[in-house]
Each structure stands twice: as C-alpha cells, then as structure tokens.
C-alpha cells in the first residue's frame, strides 16, 4: 500500500490540524487521541512516512526504530502510567480495522483495562 500524504496524521505532522502534543523529538510525535477509549489514550507516531507497523518494521532505519521504541517507553513513564500498568497496541490492515494509514501505537492506561480482546465468536 502506497503512503497517502493527505492522511490525517500526515496533516497533523505538517501542522495543518491541531493536536494535544504530549511528546516530540526529531523522529517521534505523541498526542492525545481525539476519541479516547481509556482515561489515558495517547497515539505515538513516527515522523517518517510509514503506512503501518508492517511498513515501519520492514523499512524504517535502525535509528528511527530505536527512537520510536525508546520514546514510547518514556512517554508511558512521563504520563505516570508505568507503575499501575498500561497497554500498547497497533492496528495493521483490514482485519484490525486500521483507520489512519500512518503507523501509530495506541498507549492506554490510567484505569483497569480488562481483557486484551473480545473472545472469539463461536
Ligand atoms: P486506528 O484505528 O487507525 O488504529 O486508530 C486511529 C485513531 O486515530 C483512532 O483512535 C481515532 O480516534 C484517532 N484519530 C482520528 N483522527 C484524529 C485526529 O484528527 N486527531 C487525533 N488526535 N486523533 C485522531
């Protein structure tokens, strides 16, 4: 899948759409989700143009990958959710209902999060 430079997170990165930033460095931006699914729900995105986790894991440079992983852990610490726990999740593709075609991690916390996913339909 080709990267769409007009996806909503690309527009946020260009400053065309406002966001509530919680962290930014050379490679990474993190901001509050517009429709939070938990008391803490932050999106962590690379600044590079990667469609999804599959694209990022295969094509990002070691520097970008290291920066992204380190920043994600640091953001959880800074948000104060490390002690009680948090969940990170990334949706890739149709089965996962990925909406925005720019790779992102969801970081959830601030409350008990329950089971990881709904049980399989029988
Ligand atoms: P996905 O389903 O692609 O993994 O998740 C996309 C996420 O982006 C959703 O949780 C949605 O609420 C969030 N989102 C979509 N548009 C915007 C926006 O303009 N600003 C922010 N902050 N979050 C957005």
């Amino acid at each position: 899948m080709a990267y769409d430079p007009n996806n909503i997170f690309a527009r946020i990165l260009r400053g065309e759409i406002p966001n509530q930033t919680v962290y930014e460095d050379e490679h990474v931006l993190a901001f509050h989700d517009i429709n939070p699914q938990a008391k803490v729900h932050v999106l962590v995105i690379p600044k590079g143009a990667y469609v999804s986790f599959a694209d990022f894991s295969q094509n990002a440079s070691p520097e970008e990958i290291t920066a992204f992983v380190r920043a994600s852990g640091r953001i959880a610490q800074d948000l104060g959710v490390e002690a009680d726990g948090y969940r990170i999740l990334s949706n890739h593709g149709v089965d996962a209902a990925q909406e925005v075609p720019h790779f992102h991690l969801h970081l959830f916390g601030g409350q008990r999060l329950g089971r990881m996913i709904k049980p399989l339909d029988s």
Side-chain angles (χ1 to χ4, degrees):
M1 183 184 182
Y3 184 80
D4 171 10
N6 289 319
N7 78 74
I8 202 98
F9 293 170
R11 298 186 65 202
I12 284 175
L13 283 168
R14 289 197 296 269
E16 294 167 11
I17 295 175
N19 73 92
Q20 283 185 278
T21 299
V22 298
Y23 177 88
E24 181 166 16
D25 67 24
E26 181 188 352
H27 293 295
V28 179
L29 180 69
F31 49 89
H32 290 283
D33 195 290
I34 205 168
N35 182 25
Q37 305 295 308
K39 284 187 182 162
V40 172
H41 184 176
V42 163
L43 301 169
V44 187
I45 72 173
K47 289 189 172 175
Y50 300 102
V51 174
S52 70
F53 180 76
D55 187 15
F56 185 75
S57 63
Q58 289 161 34
N59 298 313
S61 68
E63 185 184 344
E64 288 174 300
I65 293 170
T66 300
F68 188 82
V69 173
R70 291 250 193 256
S72 299
R74 183 177 156 190
I75 290 160
Q77 277 186 326
D78 291 350
L79 289 167
V81 296
E82 188 176 288
D84 286 342
Y86 61 88
R87 177 173 297 155
I88 56 176
L89 175 157
S90 184
N91 295 313
H92 164 80
V94 174
D95 274 1
Q98 181 182 0
E99 265 177 49
V100 179
H102 181 112
F103 170 50
H104 49 282
L105 283 189
H106 297 259
L107 194 162
F108 301 104
Q111 63 180 83
R112 294 295 166 102
L113 295 166
R115 290 175 62 89
M116 193 160 60
I117 59 172
K118 288 183 188 157
L120 291 173
D121 294 336
S122 52

PDB file of all heavy atoms in Angstrom, residues 8-9 12 17-20 31-37 41 43 89-92 96-102 104 106 108, ligand 1:
ATOM      1  N   ILE A   8      -4.690  11.865   7.904  1.00  0.00           N
ATOM      2  CA  ILE A   8      -4.877  12.850   8.981  1.00  0.00           C
ATOM      3  C   ILE A   8      -3.618  13.053   9.829  1.00  0.00           C
ATOM      4  O   ILE A   8      -3.324  14.168  10.268  1.00  0.00           O
ATOM      5  CB  ILE A   8      -6.110  12.451   9.834  1.00  0.00           C
ATOM      6  CG1 ILE A   8      -6.683  13.626  10.602  1.00  0.00           C
ATOM      7  CG2 ILE A   8      -5.822  11.317  10.762  1.00  0.00           C
ATOM      8  CD1 ILE A   8      -7.845  14.244   9.948  1.00  0.00           C
ATOM      9  N   PHE A   9      -2.833  11.988  10.023  1.00  0.00           N
ATOM     10  CA  PHE A   9      -1.634  12.148  10.864  1.00  0.00           C
ATOM     11  C   PHE A   9      -0.527  12.867  10.085  1.00  0.00           C
ATOM     12  O   PHE A   9       0.260  13.618  10.686  1.00  0.00           O
ATOM     13  CB  PHE A   9      -1.148  10.809  11.410  1.00  0.00           C
ATOM     14  CG  PHE A   9      -2.110  10.169  12.396  1.00  0.00           C
ATOM     15  CD1 PHE A   9      -1.921   8.868  12.811  1.00  0.00           C
ATOM     16  CD2 PHE A   9      -3.190  10.862  12.906  1.00  0.00           C
ATOM     17  CE1 PHE A   9      -2.799   8.267  13.713  1.00  0.00           C
ATOM     18  CE2 PHE A   9      -4.077  10.281  13.801  1.00  0.00           C
ATOM     19  CZ  PHE A   9      -3.878   8.976  14.208  1.00  0.00           C
ATOM     20  N   ILE A  12      -1.434  16.361  10.603  1.00  0.00           N
ATOM     21  CA  ILE A  12      -1.038  16.800  11.953  1.00  0.00           C
ATOM     22  C   ILE A  12       0.460  17.093  11.975  1.00  0.00           C
ATOM     23  O   ILE A  12       0.904  18.123  12.500  1.00  0.00           O
ATOM     24  CB  ILE A  12      -1.444  15.733  12.999  1.00  0.00           C
ATOM     25  CG1 ILE A  12      -2.962  15.818  13.247  1.00  0.00           C
ATOM     26  CG2 ILE A  12      -0.659  15.898  14.305  1.00  0.00           C
ATOM     27  CD1 ILE A  12      -3.522  14.746  14.160  1.00  0.00           C
ATOM     28  N   ILE A  17      -3.435  20.503  11.111  1.00  0.00           N
ATOM     29  CA  ILE A  17      -4.524  20.165  12.034  1.00  0.00           C
ATOM     30  C   ILE A  17      -3.930  20.201  13.440  1.00  0.00           C
ATOM     31  O   ILE A  17      -2.838  19.665  13.654  1.00  0.00           O
ATOM     32  CB  ILE A  17      -5.081  18.759  11.721  1.00  0.00           C
ATOM     33  CG1 ILE A  17      -5.736  18.757  10.344  1.00  0.00           C
ATOM     34  CG2 ILE A  17      -6.048  18.278  12.800  1.00  0.00           C
ATOM     35  CD1 ILE A  17      -6.213  17.396   9.906  1.00  0.00           C
ATOM     36  N   PRO A  18      -4.633  20.844  14.390  1.00  0.00           N
ATOM     37  CA  PRO A  18      -4.070  20.936  15.740  1.00  0.00           C
ATOM     38  C   PRO A  18      -4.078  19.588  16.461  1.00  0.00           C
ATOM     39  O   PRO A  18      -4.838  18.682  16.095  1.00  0.00           O
ATOM     40  CB  PRO A  18      -5.007  21.928  16.452  1.00  0.00           C
ATOM     41  CG  PRO A  18      -6.267  21.928  15.663  1.00  0.00           C
ATOM     42  CD  PRO A  18      -5.920  21.540  14.254  1.00  0.00           C
ATOM     43  N   ASN A  19      -3.226  19.472  17.451  1.00  0.00           N
ATOM     44  CA  ASN A  19      -3.214  18.257  18.289  1.00  0.00           C
ATOM     45  C   ASN A  19      -2.767  18.644  19.682  1.00  0.00           C
ATOM     46  O   ASN A  19      -2.165  19.694  19.879  1.00  0.00           O
ATOM     47  CB  ASN A  19      -2.276  17.199  17.691  1.00  0.00           C
ATOM     48  CG  ASN A  19      -0.820  17.576  17.876  1.00  0.00           C
ATOM     49  OD1 ASN A  19      -0.180  17.202  18.847  1.00  0.00           O
ATOM     50  ND2 ASN A  19      -0.283  18.369  16.947  1.00  0.00           N
ATOM     51  N   GLN A  20      -3.069  17.766  20.625  1.00  0.00           N
ATOM     52  CA  GLN A  20      -2.615  17.976  22.007  1.00  0.00           C
ATOM     53  C   GLN A  20      -1.362  17.139  22.206  1.00  0.00           C
ATOM     54  O   GLN A  20      -1.421  15.965  22.567  1.00  0.00           O
ATOM     55  CB  GLN A  20      -3.685  17.522  22.982  1.00  0.00           C
ATOM     56  CG  GLN A  20      -4.848  18.475  23.140  1.00  0.00           C
ATOM     57  CD  GLN A  20      -5.762  17.951  24.220  1.00  0.00           C
ATOM     58  OE1 GLN A  20      -6.596  17.086  23.969  1.00  0.00           O
ATOM     59  NE2 GLN A  20      -5.583  18.428  25.441  1.00  0.00           N
ATOM     60  N   PHE A  31       0.524  12.380  20.853  1.00  0.00           N
ATOM     61  CA  PHE A  31      -0.565  13.320  21.173  1.00  0.00           C
ATOM     62  C   PHE A  31      -1.780  12.538  21.637  1.00  0.00           C
ATOM     63  O   PHE A  31      -1.920  11.336  21.363  1.00  0.00           O
ATOM     64  CB  PHE A  31      -0.903  14.185  19.946  1.00  0.00           C
ATOM     65  CG  PHE A  31      -1.112  13.417  18.663  1.00  0.00           C
ATOM     66  CD1 PHE A  31      -2.349  12.933  18.302  1.00  0.00           C
ATOM     67  CD2 PHE A  31      -0.038  13.151  17.810  1.00  0.00           C
ATOM     68  CE1 PHE A  31      -2.539  12.221  17.127  1.00  0.00           C
ATOM     69  CE2 PHE A  31      -0.210  12.436  16.635  1.00  0.00           C
ATOM     70  CZ  PHE A  31      -1.466  11.976  16.288  1.00  0.00           C
ATOM     71  N   HIS A  32      -2.683  13.222  22.337  1.00  0.00           N
ATOM     72  CA  HIS A  32      -3.891  12.580  22.848  1.00  0.00           C
ATOM     73  C   HIS A  32      -4.820  12.201  21.699  1.00  0.00           C
ATOM     74  O   HIS A  32      -5.020  12.996  20.763  1.00  0.00           O
ATOM     75  CB  HIS A  32      -4.624  13.511  23.823  1.00  0.00           C
ATOM     76  CG  HIS A  32      -3.884  13.704  25.112  1.00  0.00           C
ATOM     77  ND1 HIS A  32      -3.860  12.751  26.104  1.00  0.00           N
ATOM     78  CD2 HIS A  32      -3.132  14.735  25.557  1.00  0.00           C
ATOM     79  CE1 HIS A  32      -3.123  13.179  27.113  1.00  0.00           C
ATOM     80  NE2 HIS A  32      -2.667  14.385  26.810  1.00  0.00           N
ATOM     81  N   ASP A  33      -5.409  10.999  21.813  1.00  0.00           N
ATOM     82  CA  ASP A  33      -6.397  10.562  20.821  1.00  0.00           C
ATOM     83  C   ASP A  33      -7.637  11.455  20.923  1.00  0.00           C
ATOM     84  O   ASP A  33      -8.093  11.791  22.019  1.00  0.00           O
ATOM     85  CB  ASP A  33      -6.770   9.098  21.065  1.00  0.00           C
ATOM     86  CG  ASP A  33      -7.490   8.482  19.869  1.00  0.00           C
ATOM     87  OD1 ASP A  33      -8.658   8.867  19.609  1.00  0.00           O
ATOM     88  OD2 ASP A  33      -6.895   7.623  19.199  1.00  0.00           O
ATOM     89  N   ILE A  34      -8.214  11.800  19.779  1.00  0.00           N
ATOM     90  CA  ILE A  34      -9.378  12.690  19.748  1.00  0.00           C
ATOM     91  C   ILE A  34     -10.633  12.007  20.313  1.00  0.00           C
ATOM     92  O   ILE A  34     -11.563  12.685  20.761  1.00  0.00           O
ATOM     93  CB  ILE A  34      -9.616  13.179  18.301  1.00  0.00           C
ATOM     94  CG1 ILE A  34     -10.361  14.492  18.282  1.00  0.00           C
ATOM     95  CG2 ILE A  34     -10.314  12.126  17.461  1.00  0.00           C
ATOM     96  CD1 ILE A  34     -10.372  15.178  16.920  1.00  0.00           C
ATOM     97  N   ASN A  35     -10.632  10.685  20.317  1.00  0.00           N
ATOM     98  CA  ASN A  35     -11.781   9.922  20.795  1.00  0.00           C
ATOM     99  C   ASN A  35     -11.296   8.853  21.771  1.00  0.00           C
ATOM    100  O   ASN A  35     -11.263   7.660  21.445  1.00  0.00           O
ATOM    101  CB  ASN A  35     -12.491   9.288  19.588  1.00  0.00           C
ATOM    102  CG  ASN A  35     -13.730   8.526  19.985  1.00  0.00           C
ATOM    103  OD1 ASN A  35     -14.337   8.794  21.018  1.00  0.00           O
ATOM    104  ND2 ASN A  35     -14.099   7.549  19.172  1.00  0.00           N
ATOM    105  N   PRO A  36     -10.903   9.292  22.988  1.00  0.00           N
ATOM    106  CA  PRO A  36     -10.195   8.370  23.887  1.00  0.00           C
ATOM    107  C   PRO A  36     -11.025   7.160  24.300  1.00  0.00           C
ATOM    108  O   PRO A  36     -12.205   7.288  24.599  1.00  0.00           O
ATOM    109  CB  PRO A  36      -9.849   9.253  25.095  1.00  0.00           C
ATOM    110  CG  PRO A  36     -10.714  10.456  24.994  1.00  0.00           C
ATOM    111  CD  PRO A  36     -11.062  10.634  23.557  1.00  0.00           C
ATOM    112  N   GLN A  37     -10.363   6.007  24.323  1.00  0.00           N
ATOM    113  CA  GLN A  37     -11.002   4.744  24.711  1.00  0.00           C
ATOM    114  C   GLN A  37     -10.604   4.340  26.128  1.00  0.00           C
ATOM    115  O   GLN A  37     -10.963   3.255  26.592  1.00  0.00           O
ATOM    116  CB  GLN A  37     -10.603   3.637  23.739  1.00  0.00           C
ATOM    117  CG  GLN A  37     -10.889   3.955  22.279  1.00  0.00           C
ATOM    118  CD  GLN A  37     -12.380   4.083  21.992  1.00  0.00           C
ATOM    119  OE1 GLN A  37     -13.144   3.192  22.324  1.00  0.00           O
ATOM    120  NE2 GLN A  37     -12.787   5.196  21.400  1.00  0.00           N
ATOM    121  N   HIS A  41      -5.218   7.829  26.738  1.00  0.00           N
ATOM    122  CA  HIS A  41      -5.171   7.239  25.386  1.00  0.00           C
ATOM    123  C   HIS A  41      -4.356   8.182  24.516  1.00  0.00           C
ATOM    124  O   HIS A  41      -4.840   9.226  24.070  1.00  0.00           O
ATOM    125  CB  HIS A  41      -6.580   7.054  24.822  1.00  0.00           C
ATOM    126  CG  HIS A  41      -6.601   6.359  23.484  1.00  0.00           C
ATOM    127  ND1 HIS A  41      -7.778   6.033  22.845  1.00  0.00           N
ATOM    128  CD2 HIS A  41      -5.606   5.926  22.661  1.00  0.00           C
ATOM    129  CE1 HIS A  41      -7.507   5.422  21.692  1.00  0.00           C
ATOM    130  NE2 HIS A  41      -6.191   5.362  21.553  1.00  0.00           N
ATOM    131  N   LEU A  43      -1.566   8.562  21.227  1.00  0.00           N
ATOM    132  CA  LEU A  43      -1.071   7.988  19.977  1.00  0.00           C
ATOM    133  C   LEU A  43       0.390   8.382  19.806  1.00  0.00           C
ATOM    134  O   LEU A  43       0.737   9.552  19.982  1.00  0.00           O
ATOM    135  CB  LEU A  43      -1.888   8.513  18.792  1.00  0.00           C
ATOM    136  CG  LEU A  43      -3.383   8.211  18.856  1.00  0.00           C
ATOM    137  CD1 LEU A  43      -4.135   9.006  17.787  1.00  0.00           C
ATOM    138  CD2 LEU A  43      -3.634   6.718  18.695  1.00  0.00           C
ATOM    139  N   LEU A  89      -0.779  -0.962  21.622  1.00  0.00           N
ATOM    140  CA  LEU A  89      -1.480  -1.722  20.580  1.00  0.00           C
ATOM    141  C   LEU A  89      -1.280  -0.990  19.257  1.00  0.00           C
ATOM    142  O   LEU A  89      -1.235   0.233  19.215  1.00  0.00           O
ATOM    143  CB  LEU A  89      -2.953  -1.748  20.978  1.00  0.00           C
ATOM    144  CG  LEU A  89      -4.041  -2.331  20.112  1.00  0.00           C
ATOM    145  CD1 LEU A  89      -5.224  -2.704  21.003  1.00  0.00           C
ATOM    146  CD2 LEU A  89      -4.508  -1.360  19.056  1.00  0.00           C
ATOM    147  N   SER A  90      -1.154  -1.747  18.188  1.00  0.00           N
ATOM    148  CA  SER A  90      -1.102  -1.140  16.862  1.00  0.00           C
ATOM    149  C   SER A  90      -1.951  -1.955  15.902  1.00  0.00           C
ATOM    150  O   SER A  90      -1.832  -3.180  15.851  1.00  0.00           O
ATOM    151  CB  SER A  90       0.345  -1.080  16.362  1.00  0.00           C
ATOM    152  OG  SER A  90       0.392  -0.397  15.126  1.00  0.00           O
ATOM    153  N   ASN A  91      -2.793  -1.280  15.162  1.00  0.00           N
ATOM    154  CA  ASN A  91      -3.656  -1.934  14.180  1.00  0.00           C
ATOM    155  C   ASN A  91      -3.008  -1.867  12.810  1.00  0.00           C
ATOM    156  O   ASN A  91      -2.658  -0.785  12.340  1.00  0.00           O
ATOM    157  CB  ASN A  91      -5.021  -1.236  14.134  1.00  0.00           C
ATOM    158  CG  ASN A  91      -5.776  -1.389  15.432  1.00  0.00           C
ATOM    159  OD1 ASN A  91      -5.861  -2.482  15.983  1.00  0.00           O
ATOM    160  ND2 ASN A  91      -6.314  -0.293  15.957  1.00  0.00           N
ATOM    161  N   HIS A  92      -2.885  -3.040  12.179  1.00  0.00           N
ATOM    162  CA  HIS A  92      -2.380  -3.090  10.799  1.00  0.00           C
ATOM    163  C   HIS A  92      -3.452  -3.708   9.914  1.00  0.00           C
ATOM    164  O   HIS A  92      -3.849  -4.867  10.118  1.00  0.00           O
ATOM    165  CB  HIS A  92      -1.098  -3.918  10.697  1.00  0.00           C
ATOM    166  CG  HIS A  92      -0.794  -4.304   9.270  1.00  0.00           C
ATOM    167  ND1 HIS A  92      -0.204  -3.436   8.377  1.00  0.00           N
ATOM    168  CD2 HIS A  92      -1.051  -5.433   8.573  1.00  0.00           C
ATOM    169  CE1 HIS A  92      -0.097  -4.032   7.198  1.00  0.00           C
ATOM    170  NE2 HIS A  92      -0.603  -5.249   7.282  1.00  0.00           N
ATOM    171  N   ALA A  96      -7.684  -5.701  11.451  1.00  0.00           N
ATOM    172  CA  ALA A  96      -7.517  -4.956  12.701  1.00  0.00           C
ATOM    173  C   ALA A  96      -8.275  -3.631  12.689  1.00  0.00           C
ATOM    174  O   ALA A  96      -8.200  -2.859  13.644  1.00  0.00           O
ATOM    175  CB  ALA A  96      -6.036  -4.710  12.960  1.00  0.00           C
ATOM    176  N   ALA A  97      -8.977  -3.341  11.575  1.00  0.00           N
ATOM    177  CA  ALA A  97      -9.765  -2.109  11.444  1.00  0.00           C
ATOM    178  C   ALA A  97      -8.904  -0.858  11.574  1.00  0.00           C
ATOM    179  O   ALA A  97      -9.304   0.130  12.190  1.00  0.00           O
ATOM    180  CB  ALA A  97     -10.920  -2.089  12.454  1.00  0.00           C
ATOM    181  N   GLN A  98      -7.703  -0.907  10.971  1.00  0.00           N
ATOM    182  CA  GLN A  98      -6.867   0.295  10.960  1.00  0.00           C
ATOM    183  C   GLN A  98      -7.586   1.394  10.194  1.00  0.00           C
ATOM    184  O   GLN A  98      -8.003   1.200   9.057  1.00  0.00           O
ATOM    185  CB  GLN A  98      -5.507  -0.001  10.292  1.00  0.00           C
ATOM    186  CG  GLN A  98      -4.595   1.221  10.285  1.00  0.00           C
ATOM    187  CD  GLN A  98      -3.251   0.964   9.594  1.00  0.00           C
ATOM    188  OE1 GLN A  98      -2.983  -0.139   9.106  1.00  0.00           O
ATOM    189  NE2 GLN A  98      -2.415   1.981   9.553  1.00  0.00           N
ATOM    190  N   GLU A  99      -7.724   2.568  10.842  1.00  0.00           N
ATOM    191  CA  GLU A  99      -8.433   3.700  10.228  1.00  0.00           C
ATOM    192  C   GLU A  99      -7.473   4.663   9.545  1.00  0.00           C
ATOM    193  O   GLU A  99      -7.772   5.174   8.471  1.00  0.00           O
ATOM    194  CB  GLU A  99      -9.114   4.522  11.335  1.00  0.00           C
ATOM    195  CG  GLU A  99     -10.546   4.207  11.635  1.00  0.00           C
ATOM    196  CD  GLU A  99     -11.007   5.067  12.806  1.00  0.00           C
ATOM    197  OE1 GLU A  99     -10.781   6.295  12.776  1.00  0.00           O
ATOM    198  OE2 GLU A  99     -11.561   4.485  13.748  1.00  0.00           O
ATOM    199  N   VAL A 100      -6.389   4.970  10.231  1.00  0.00           N
ATOM    200  CA  VAL A 100      -5.479   6.002   9.735  1.00  0.00           C
ATOM    201  C   VAL A 100      -4.220   5.330   9.180  1.00  0.00           C
ATOM    202  O   VAL A 100      -3.503   4.646   9.919  1.00  0.00           O
ATOM    203  CB  VAL A 100      -5.109   6.998  10.855  1.00  0.00           C
ATOM    204  CG1 VAL A 100      -4.144   8.051  10.326  1.00  0.00           C
ATOM    205  CG2 VAL A 100      -6.362   7.661  11.430  1.00  0.00           C
ATOM    206  N   PRO A 101      -3.948   5.528   7.882  1.00  0.00           N
ATOM    207  CA  PRO A 101      -2.832   4.816   7.260  1.00  0.00           C
ATOM    208  C   PRO A 101      -1.476   5.495   7.448  1.00  0.00           C
ATOM    209  O   PRO A 101      -0.736   5.752   6.493  1.00  0.00           O
ATOM    210  CB  PRO A 101      -3.244   4.753   5.785  1.00  0.00           C
ATOM    211  CG  PRO A 101      -4.020   6.007   5.578  1.00  0.00           C
ATOM    212  CD  PRO A 101      -4.745   6.266   6.874  1.00  0.00           C
ATOM    213  N   HIS A 102      -1.192   5.839   8.707  1.00  0.00           N
ATOM    214  CA  HIS A 102       0.147   6.282   9.118  1.00  0.00           C
ATOM    215  C   HIS A 102       0.424   5.515  10.404  1.00  0.00           C
ATOM    216  O   HIS A 102      -0.362   5.623  11.365  1.00  0.00           O
ATOM    217  CB  HIS A 102       0.175   7.801   9.357  1.00  0.00           C
ATOM    218  CG  HIS A 102       1.533   8.319   9.764  1.00  0.00           C
ATOM    219  ND1 HIS A 102       2.298   9.141   8.952  1.00  0.00           N
ATOM    220  CD2 HIS A 102       2.259   8.131  10.892  1.00  0.00           C
ATOM    221  CE1 HIS A 102       3.434   9.425   9.570  1.00  0.00           C
ATOM    222  NE2 HIS A 102       3.431   8.821  10.767  1.00  0.00           N
ATOM    223  N   HIS A 104       0.971   4.019  13.852  1.00  0.00           N
ATOM    224  CA  HIS A 104       0.840   4.595  15.184  1.00  0.00           C
ATOM    225  C   HIS A 104       0.673   3.497  16.210  1.00  0.00           C
ATOM    226  O   HIS A 104       0.096   2.451  15.931  1.00  0.00           O
ATOM    227  CB  HIS A 104      -0.344   5.559  15.278  1.00  0.00           C
ATOM    228  CG  HIS A 104      -1.630   5.004  14.738  1.00  0.00           C
ATOM    229  ND1 HIS A 104      -1.897   4.931  13.388  1.00  0.00           N
ATOM    230  CD2 HIS A 104      -2.723   4.485  15.356  1.00  0.00           C
ATOM    231  CE1 HIS A 104      -3.096   4.407  13.201  1.00  0.00           C
ATOM    232  NE2 HIS A 104      -3.616   4.112  14.383  1.00  0.00           N
ATOM    233  N   HIS A 106      -1.157   2.883  19.877  1.00  0.00           N
ATOM    234  CA  HIS A 106      -2.077   3.387  20.889  1.00  0.00           C
ATOM    235  C   HIS A 106      -1.463   3.043  22.240  1.00  0.00           C
ATOM    236  O   HIS A 106      -1.036   1.909  22.460  1.00  0.00           O
ATOM    237  CB  HIS A 106      -3.431   2.685  20.803  1.00  0.00           C
ATOM    238  CG  HIS A 106      -4.159   2.914  19.524  1.00  0.00           C
ATOM    239  ND1 HIS A 106      -5.190   3.828  19.410  1.00  0.00           N
ATOM    240  CD2 HIS A 106      -4.036   2.352  18.299  1.00  0.00           C
ATOM    241  CE1 HIS A 106      -5.666   3.796  18.169  1.00  0.00           C
ATOM    242  NE2 HIS A 106      -4.982   2.902  17.473  1.00  0.00           N
ATOM    243  N   PHE A 108      -2.636   2.986  26.124  1.00  0.00           N
ATOM    244  CA  PHE A 108      -3.809   3.090  27.002  1.00  0.00           C
ATOM    245  C   PHE A 108      -3.374   2.915  28.449  1.00  0.00           C
ATOM    246  O   PHE A 108      -2.527   2.060  28.746  1.00  0.00           O
ATOM    247  CB  PHE A 108      -4.810   1.971  26.705  1.00  0.00           C
ATOM    248  CG  PHE A 108      -5.329   1.918  25.307  1.00  0.00           C
ATOM    249  CD1 PHE A 108      -4.867   0.967  24.420  1.00  0.00           C
ATOM    250  CD2 PHE A 108      -6.305   2.805  24.871  1.00  0.00           C
ATOM    251  CE1 PHE A 108      -5.365   0.879  23.124  1.00  0.00           C
ATOM    252  CE2 PHE A 108      -6.803   2.734  23.577  1.00  0.00           C
ATOM    253  CZ  PHE A 108      -6.335   1.772  22.704  1.00  0.00           C
TER     254      PHE A 108
HETATM  255  P1  LIG B   1      -6.608   3.143  14.119  1.00  0.00           P
HETATM  256  O1  LIG B   1      -7.970   2.533  14.025  1.00  0.00           O
HETATM  257  O2  LIG B   1      -6.096   3.614  12.777  1.00  0.00           O
HETATM  258  O3  LIG B   1      -5.637   2.245  14.830  1.00  0.00           O
HETATM  259  O4  LIG B   1      -6.751   4.396  15.072  1.00  0.00           O
HETATM  260  C1  LIG B   1      -6.834   5.716  14.627  1.00  0.00           C
HETATM  261  C2  LIG B   1      -7.051   6.586  15.842  1.00  0.00           C
HETATM  262  O5  LIG B   1      -6.851   7.926  15.454  1.00  0.00           O
HETATM  263  C3  LIG B   1      -8.451   6.475  16.454  1.00  0.00           C
HETATM  264  O6  LIG B   1      -8.335   6.090  17.822  1.00  0.00           O
HETATM  265  C4  LIG B   1      -9.007   7.905  16.302  1.00  0.00           C
HETATM  266  O7  LIG B   1      -9.802   8.306  17.400  1.00  0.00           O
HETATM  267  C5  LIG B   1      -7.747   8.744  16.165  1.00  0.00           C
HETATM  268  N1  LIG B   1      -7.912   9.969  15.381  1.00  0.00           N
HETATM  269  C6  LIG B   1      -8.508  10.074  14.160  1.00  0.00           C
HETATM  270  N2  LIG B   1      -8.464  11.345  13.727  1.00  0.00           N
HETATM  271  C7  LIG B   1      -7.811  12.056  14.693  1.00  0.00           C
HETATM  272  C8  LIG B   1      -7.458  13.426  14.805  1.00  0.00           C
HETATM  273  O8  LIG B   1      -7.704  14.272  13.947  1.00  0.00           O
HETATM  274  N3  LIG B   1      -6.782  13.799  15.944  1.00  0.00           N
HETATM  275  C9  LIG B   1      -6.469  12.892  16.926  1.00  0.00           C
HETATM  276  N4  LIG B   1      -5.831  13.366  17.992  1.00  0.00           N
HETATM  277  N5  LIG B   1      -6.797  11.593  16.842  1.00  0.00           N
HETATM  278  C10 LIG B   1      -7.462  11.175  15.735  1.00  0.00           C
END
